Amino acid sequence: MVEGEDESAPATIIGTVLSDALKGGWIAISASIGALGSFFSGSTTVSNLTFGSVQQIAAETIGVNVNAMLALQVVGASAGNGVCLNNIISACTVTGLVIGEGKIIAKTAKFVFVFIVIATLIMLAFLL
């Protein structure tokens, strides 16, 4: 458990309940959770701060390497910046690109998905 957290902390509840329910399936969605955090927050750091303790608790609960699970969180969070609306709008503004954000997300989402899948497959060697 994360130092200083008690059993009623939201990260503990989420990490324990979901990892108990999903077991090894948690590994498959771990990077996607990181990407989701970056998609909503616009920041890899905020995604890691939000979901890092959840990932740590989940790893401890299902008995896999904590460092590898946290690495999946970071990889997913970094990849999630590719579909983050905040970053896309900023990039379009700076470059003067006049195109719908949805078109950009549709193009970048494919690469984000492939990146997450490859990272998850590579990390399976360290998690199991």
Side-chain angles (χ1 to χ4, degrees):
M1 183 161 39
V2 177
E3 188 175 325
E5 285 196 18
D6 61 16
E7 292 183 12
S8 64
T12 305
I13 294 169
I14 294 168
T16 305
V17 171
L18 289 180
S19 62
D20 278 342
L22 296 173
K23 303 280 186 234
W26 182 268
I27 298 167
I29 66 166
S30 181
S32 298
I33 291 170
L36 185 67
S38 288
F39 172 76
F40 285 121
S41 69
S43 168
T44 300
T45 303
V46 172
S47 177
N48 293 337
L49 289 171
T50 303
F51 294 116
S53 56
V54 173
Q55 300 276 18
Q56 179 181 357
I57 291 165
E60 291 170 351
T61 301
I62 60 176
V64 297
N65 185 304
V66 174
N67 292 330
M69 186 70 79
L70 291 174
L72 271 179
Q73 163 65 33
V74 172
V75 166
S78 297
N81 281 319
V83 290
C84 172
L85 196 55
N86 300 344
N87 295 338
I88 291 171
I89 291 171
S90 297
C92 287
T93 302
V94 169
T95 61
L97 186 62
V98 181
I99 186 172
E101 290 84 10
K103 289 182 181 180
I104 295 173
I105 290 175
K107 288 182 179 186
T108 60
K110 298 171 201 169
F111 295 102
V112 170
F113 177 74
V114 169
F115 186 72
I116 287 173
V117 169
I118 291 171
T120 301
L121 292 174
I122 291 170
M123 292 306 287
L124 281 173
F126 296 99
L127 288 171
L128 300 177

